[in-house]
Amino acid sequence: MKVWTVANQKGGVGKTTTTVSLGGLLAQQGKRVLMIDTDPHASLSYYFGIDAEATSHSVYDIFIQSNALSADNVMDCLCPTKLDNLYVLPATMALATLDRTMGSEQGMGLVLKKALAKIADEFDVAIIDCPPVLGVLMVNALAACDKVIVPTQTEYLALKGLDRMIRTMEIMGRSLNKSFDTVIIPTMFDKRTNAALASRKRLIDDYGERVWEGVIPVDTHFRDASLVQLPISAAYPKTRGVSAYAKLLAVLEN
C-alpha cells in the first residue's frame, strides 16, 4: 500500500479538495483507496456526509486503542462512500484533545503508521488529509507516508505558510531519519491575476523541481461536487479541475 500525506501548515489551500480528487480518480481506476481524516474540523468526513459529532468510530479510536490494535479494529472504523473502492477513516472533534492527553506518551508519533501496516493488504493507496497545525496528528501523518503532497494556494500569504511547512519537514526528517519525497502543488490558480502568476513564479524560483509543473485551477465545480458528496471526477468528469488532477496523478504514480 502506498501512503500519501496531504499537508500544509496553512488552512484553506486545498488539502481536502486534493485528497478527495486524487482518491476519486484512483478509485475510478479500480484501485482500493482509503482516505484518512486527521483534522479535528473533519472537513473530509463532512464532505462524504459523515457527521463527526455522531460517528461511533473514527481515527480517534485508533489512538485510544493503539496498544492493542488489530486489523479488525482498524477496519471497523472505516466508512464507505458513494463511490466503489473509496473509503474514509473519519475524524471527530475529540482529536483536538490528543496533543494534551496523549502527545507526550512514548511511541505516539507512530500510531498511524502501525495501524496502516495492519491493513496494508486491504488497500492500494491511503491518502492522509492533515490538520493545518503541527502536532501529534501531523507527526503521525508524516511518519506514515511515502510521499508528501503540499497544496499551496497561489497567493502571497500561502507562500509564507509553505515556508513553515518545509521547515517542519526538514526537522521531522532529521528526527525520523528519512527524507520526504515532496511534491508542491500550486492550487486555486487564476491565470488572469498578476498575484497568481507572481506566486507561481516565486514557488518555482524558491523550490525548483519540488514544484509540480502544472496547476490546479479555480473551478466552481469543486464546490458543486461537495454538495452531492462525490469526488469531482465522478460528479463532473469533463471539467478542467478533473483534467488538472488527472495530470497530477499521472506524475505522482510514476
Side-chain angles (χ1 to χ4, degrees):
M1 177 172 63
K2 297 177 183 176
V3 181
W4 298 344
T5 285
V6 181
N8 195 321
Q9 284 177 257
K10 185 180 185 307
V13 297
K15 293 189 295 294
T16 299
T17 296
T18 296
T19 301
V20 172
S21 300
L22 292 175
L25 285 166
L26 285 163
Q28 287 176 295
Q29 291 177 2
K31 304 285 179 59
R32 298 168 298 170
V33 183
L34 173 61
M35 299 176 297
I36 304 165
D37 192 351
T38 62
D39 189 342
H41 291 108
S43 294
L44 175 63
S45 304
Y46 283 118
Y47 187 108
F48 289 99
I50 303 166
D51 187 347
E53 300 291 333
T55 184
S56 57
H57 297 289
S58 72
V59 70
Y60 183 72
D61 296 84
I62 304 296
F63 284 87
I64 295 301
Q65 301 174 30
S66 59
N67 290 328
L69 201 60
S70 69
D72 287 342
N73 295 146
V74 180
M75 294 298 292
D76 284 345
C77 294
L78 309 189
C79 297
T81 69
K82 293 180 180 179
L83 203 62
D84 289 344
N85 299 318
L86 188 63
Y87 291 81
V88 177
L89 175 52
T92 180
M93 290 295 290
L95 287 172
T97 68
L98 276 181
D99 279 293
R100 184 179 73 252
T101 59
M102 304 178 74
S104 61
E105 293 184 18
Q106 188 171 4
M108 285 305 294
L110 298 174
V111 171
L112 202 51
K113 181 176 182 178
K114 292 176 181 177
L116 290 178
K118 293 182 183 298
I119 59 169
D121 292 338
E122 301 294 331
F123 293 95
D124 298 301
V125 183
I127 309 176
I128 307 171
D129 188 15
C130 278
V133 178
L134 178 59
V136 68
L137 291 163
M138 185 180 286
V139 168
N140 267 269
L142 291 174
C145 73
D146 310 306
K147 190 184 298 287
V148 183
I149 301 165
V150 188
T152 304
Q153 186 178 357
T154 44
E155 57 94 14
Y156 175 72
L157 291 178
L159 300 189
K160 303 303 290 183
L162 175 62
D163 291 340
R164 290 193 297 273
M165 187 67 225
I166 295 300
R167 286 199 298 273
T168 292
M169 286 193 291
E170 290 171 351
I171 294 168
M172 282 284 300
R174 289 194 291 271
S175 174
L176 296 168
N177 194 29
K178 70 184 281 188
S179 109
F180 293 105
D181 180 3
T182 306
V183 184
I184 298 167
I185 311 302
T187 61
M188 304 179 194
F189 182 77
D190 186 344
K191 65 182 180 182
R192 300 169 298 178
T193 67
N194 290 331
L197 294 168
S199 296
R200 182 168 181 263
K201 182 179 184 302
R202 164 84 184 276
L203 279 176
I204 294 169
D205 288 345
D206 287 355
Y207 298 105
E209 292 183 354
R210 284 182 286 184
V211 181
W212 175 48
E213 64 181 11
V215 296
I216 304 299
V218 172
D219 190 337
T220 58
H221 289 96
F222 286 119
R223 187 179 301 113
D224 295 339
S226 69
L227 294 176
V228 294
Q229 299 173 1
L230 283 170
I232 187 174
S233 57
Y236 302 99
K238 302 296 185 182
T239 53
R240 58 184 179 172
V242 174
S243 176
Y245 273 112
K247 291 174 182 175
L248 170 60
L249 181 58
V251 171
L252 296 175
E253 290 191 297
N254 286 339

